[in-house]
Amino acid sequence: MKKRHEQKLIILSIGLLIAFSIPVSLLFNSEREIFGYPMILVYLFAVWMTSIIISFVIVKKYDE
């Protein structure tokens, strides 16, 4: 794997560590709901889905 792809994945990992930390996650712990789901669940799954897509794009560029 190229060095710049490794660096991008490390930056993504650090960003996820911050996004999934308790203080940041608790910012979305409210009574609001989106489509009947609590805000914290929507936040966690949105961050998770976004990280999967970003990882896929980074690794896909490596294959080319």
Side-chain angles (χ1 to χ4, degrees), residues 18-30 39-40 43-44:
I18 293 169
F20 284 131
S21 68
I22 296 298
V24 176
S25 295
L26 289 180
L27 291 174
F28 296 93
N29 191 15
S30 65
M39 187 70 159
I40 192 165
Y43 167 74
L44 291 175

Side-chain angles (χ1 to χ4, degrees), residues 25-63:
S25 295
L26 289 180
L27 291 174
F28 296 93
N29 191 15
S30 65
E31 295 294 323
R32 291 187 53 206
E33 294 183 351
I34 298 177
F35 300 114
Y37 295 105
M39 187 70 159
I40 192 165
L41 286 180
V42 173
Y43 167 74
L44 291 175
F45 282 110
V47 170
W48 183 41
M49 179 79 66
T50 305
S51 70
I52 291 172
I53 292 169
I54 292 171
S55 298
F56 176 76
V57 169
I58 292 171
V59 172
K60 187 71 173 166
K61 285 186 177 182
Y62 167 70
D63 286 340

Side-chain angles (χ1 to χ4, degrees), residues 8-21 24 43 47 51:
K8 289 177 185 177
L9 290 174
I10 289 172
I11 290 171
L12 177 66
S13 299
I14 292 170
L16 288 174
L17 184 67
I18 293 169
F20 284 131
S21 68
V24 176
Y43 167 74
V47 170
S51 70

